[in-house]
Amino acid sequence: MSNIKPTEIRLAKDKKTLHVTFNSGEEFSISAQLLRVESPSAEVQGHNPSQKVLVKNKENVEVMKIDPVGNYAVRITFDDMHDTGIYSWPVLERLGREGQALMAAYHEAVEAS
């Protein structure tokens, strides 16, 4: 199990970017769109990879609220009222590290659909 945890989670004033600094010293800026389309919720991810839902038209989604979940995650509420994803520290780290590749794959999937 990873010992990674954030030392700071800060929402940009425009509510479209989440800035996360980890105890490793790494800093990531994660777009609200990426957070929304890659939500770890069953509603988006399904119960196995074949059930993943392609969430479209979230270019302008904003984060309304961030609530702590224990000492291991946050729950993010978006302005489209989606709030069922629990973003653990490893999930936020993965979204930060792989964000560009994930967004490129997302845009390809949207174009193909």
Side-chain angles (χ1 to χ4, degrees):
M1 182 115 193
S2 173
N3 289 326
I4 189 106
K5 61 183 177 180
T7 56
E8 180 181 37
I9 298 175
R10 183 175 37 86
L11 184 60
K13 287 183 182 183
D14 68 2
K15 299 184 178 189
K16 292 186 178 213
T17 307
L18 190 67
H19 301 283
V20 184
T21 303
F22 287 97
N23 58 349
S24 64
E26 292 179 291
E27 297 179 26
F28 300 107
S29 295
I30 308 168
S31 72
Q33 181 183 15
L34 177 62
L35 290 163
R36 178 62 180 89
V37 302
E38 287 292 327
S39 171
S41 69
E43 177 184 332
V44 173
Q45 298 298 324
H47 295 287
N48 65 57
S50 69
Q51 295 179 333
K52 185 172 179 179
V53 174
L54 181 60
V55 181
K56 296 181 184 177
N57 303 315
K58 298 300 174 186
E59 297 83 5
N60 297 310
V61 72
E62 294 180 1
V63 173
M64 291 178 50
K65 188 166 78 166
I66 303 168
D67 294 308
V69 177
N71 60 2
Y72 67 93
V74 291
R75 177 186 312 270
I76 299 175
T77 302
F78 296 91
D79 64 354
D80 67 356
M81 303 317 294
H82 177 76
D83 67 352
T84 58
I86 303 293
Y87 295 79
S88 67
W89 308 148
V91 167
L92 286 176
E93 180 189 31
R94 181 181 69 82
L95 293 175
R97 283 184 191 276
E98 301 174 16
Q100 287 184 332
L102 289 167
M103 283 306 295
Y106 168 75
H107 289 300
E108 278 183 30
V110 168
E111 283 183 32
S113 68

